[in-house]
Amino acid sequence: MIRILLFAVAVAICSPLLAQTESASPPASSPLLEQRVSDLEAYVNNSARGADATNPQAGSNISGPGPGHNAWLMTSALLVLFMTLPGLALFYGGLVRQKNVLSVLAQCLGIAGLVTILWWAVGYSLVFASGCPFFGSARFAFLRGVTSAPNTNYSYWVSHNVFATYQLMFAIITPALIIGSVAERMKFSAVMAIIALWMFLVYFPLANMVWGIDGMMNGVWNANAKIRAIDFAGGTVVHMSSLFLGPRLGFRKEIMAPHSMVLCMVGTGMLWVGWYGFNAGSALGADAIAANAFMSTTLATAIASFTWAMLEWMLRSKPSVLGFCSGAVGGLVVITPACGFVDANGAVIIGVLAGAVPFFACTKLKSWFHYDDALDTFGVHAVGGTLGAFLTGLLATVTVNSNLAGPAASQNGLAKIVGHTLWLEQLKAIAITIALALIGTSVIALVVRATLGLRITPEIERQGLDINLHGEEGYIVSG
């Protein structure tokens, strides 16, 4: 990890790109009244100013960020961080056994700090600076040139530094989701090493391909996209990865029930609330697309939660709180790539499938193949993320999001396949994502196993990670 950071420093220092923003400086001449009024309309509509044109004739009197859109994205960034700290930490923490609850909290906190350092050093630049179809460049290394002025490659009315911070929150929660599949049995040092390498080998290139302005799979905004896939708030990027380490000691022989469904329920509620920043915030403005993402997120999540619990009721005679919680998270996962592209009816369809498909993945696949996905990361996030990416291709509609027929989409051909064969492009993106995640994760696991070792000793596993790895206990009962 140290070598990676040193390499990033060297690349950034040697980079010849010293420009402060992606966009060119506006001309010096003052705008006429007509353009000034047009700029106000552009702010309300979250669209380009006159000065944002390719060859503008005049500058703009409101060349900085738009207060409302900026405020919404700052709020959304807080909500996405709230998903990880404390939402995901409590959700996962409640699902593990009492002796390991602090290990989950420590891993979430450790990942937040580690990923922030990587993002500041070079991660943001590798994802969002102009580069090639697979990764960016060192242009924004150490956040050089990331100021309060908008980067118009991504938003006309949101400050570049706010956008970078918002995307950081996505980068934090993505690896934090993975720890659910290895809970209660991996060394803390191994978790940190794996996450550092995983960000470089999997997350940074994949996020660039899906969201980067030059990204190979950015069908909406890259006119030269080779795969015309769409992903509104992150399905292919955020959810389609899991890591397996072998079963816990006593798996299928001992009861390993969640130690606190109360914490799990509280964490689920926090995830649900925070996910509005994740989904509606991805519109990068307080506009009509954000409003639709807000509504579709609500519909799909509530219906998925209800569907999962009703399936339990029919097949197991009792609807569990864990079922409601798992269904809600499944709904959030599946609707995420589609939320800004589907209407209410599409959201309802996604909700039903998001409750049913991950339910059977978590209940049937685990029993068939006997793998120990401790907190159902694979069943909910990997399966759910894959399902969401595919359903986006089937249900996306231009009536919800006109960007599906915008200039870039028209040039690369996306506009012609929406409502027809878009699902084929989604399958291509899914295949690349799975291949990159599996190969990258496997290589990383082999490297870390050979150097640091992956798994805790059997003695520590029996006693618990909290007291042995962190010197603390989650609950101290006296008297």
Side-chain angles (χ1 to χ4, degrees), residues 223-241:
N224 299 313
K226 301 301 181 183
I227 296 177
R228 298 158 294 177
I230 61 175
D231 187 336
F232 187 76
T236 43
V237 177
V238 179
H239 301 298
M240 288 175 53
S241 296

Side-chain angles (χ1 to χ4, degrees), residues 326-393:
S326 298
V329 174
L332 291 165
V333 168
V334 179
I335 191 60
T336 292
C339 61
F341 300 124
V342 302
D343 57 19
N345 291 332
V348 170
I349 294 171
I350 287 175
V352 173
L353 293 176
V357 175
F359 170 79
F360 286 106
C362 292
T363 57
K364 297 300 181 181
L365 288 181
K366 289 174 71 173
S367 62
W368 290 343
F369 297 103
H370 305 301
Y371 60 83
D372 186 11
D373 182 17
L375 308 184
D376 289 327
T377 299
F378 178 79
V380 174
H381 294 279
V383 173
T386 304
L387 175 65
F390 178 70
L391 291 176
T392 301

Side-chain angles (χ1 to χ4, degrees), residues 3-27:
R3 291 182 179 179
I4 292 174
L5 288 175
L6 290 175
F7 173 76
V9 171
V11 170
I13 292 175
C14 295
S15 175
L17 299 173
L18 300 177
Q20 295 299 302
T21 63
E22 292 280 350
S23 57
S25 299

Side-chain angles (χ1 to χ4, degrees), residues 403-447:
N403 293 315
L404 292 172
S410 298
Q411 186 172 336
N412 63 33
L414 171 64
K416 295 181 180 179
I417 62 175
V418 173
H420 302 286
T421 59
L422 176 58
W423 60 275
L424 290 174
E425 298 296 299
Q426 298 297 101
L427 286 178
K428 295 176 186 177
I430 290 169
I432 291 174
T433 301
I434 292 175
L436 181 59
L438 288 179
I439 294 172
T441 303
S442 298
V443 171
I444 291 167
L446 290 173
V447 171

Side-chain angles (χ1 to χ4, degrees), residues 65-288:
H69 299 310
N70 229 24
W72 170 236
L73 206 67
M74 285 188 280
T75 302
S76 296
L78 294 175
L79 288 170
V80 179
L81 179 61
F82 186 65
M83 290 169 62
T84 306
L85 301 171
L88 186 71
L90 294 180
F91 176 69
Y92 278 170
L95 291 175
V96 299
R97 289 167 290 180
Q98 179 176 321
K99 61 184 179 181
N100 297 319
V101 58
L102 291 185
S103 70
V104 173
L105 273 59
Q107 288 167 6
C108 288
L109 286 165
I111 287 170
L114 173 62
V115 172
T116 297
I117 293 170
L118 298 179
W119 195 250
W120 161 75
V122 73
Y124 174 71
S125 192
L126 290 177
V127 175
F128 289 104
S130 297
C132 72
F134 309 101
F135 53 85
S137 65
R139 181 170 193 164
F140 298 133
F142 302 103
L143 299 184
R144 182 179 60 243
V146 180
T147 67
S148 293
N151 176 353
T152 55
N153 275 344
Y154 298 99
S155 175
Y156 297 108
W157 296 102
V158 171
S159 294
H160 195 177
N161 49 20
V162 172
F163 174 78
T165 303
Y166 177 68
Q167 296 297 339
L168 166 62
M169 304 313 172
F170 280 66
I172 287 174
I173 195 170
T174 303
L177 292 170
I178 298 173
I179 65 176
S181 62
V182 297
E184 304 191 291
R185 56 202 191 275
M186 182 177 280
K187 296 178 180 179
F188 182 77
S189 59
V191 171
M192 294 296 104
I194 285 175
I195 295 306
L197 294 171
W198 190 86
M199 295 301 290
F200 281 93
L201 292 184
V202 180
Y203 185 82
F204 293 157
L206 186 57
N208 175 266
M209 285 189 280
V210 174
W211 291 327
I213 192 63
D214 303 315
M216 181 181 71
M217 299 190 291
N218 188 352
V220 178
W221 299 110
N222 180 11
N224 299 313
K226 301 301 181 183
I227 296 177
R228 298 158 294 177
I230 61 175
D231 187 336
F232 187 76
T236 43
V237 177
V238 179
H239 301 298
M240 288 175 53
S241 296
S242 287
L243 175 65
F244 297 101
L245 192 65
R248 291 164 289 180
L249 294 178
F251 179 63
R252 299 180 66 86
K253 297 177 183 178
E254 302 174 8
I255 296 176
M256 297 183 176
H259 91 278
S260 175
M261 282 309 306
V262 173
L263 288 184
C264 179
M265 168 55 194
V266 171
T268 300
M270 292 176 173
L271 283 169
W272 190 336
V273 171
W275 223 294
Y276 287 111
F278 203 94
N279 285 359
S282 290
L284 304 182
D287 59 11

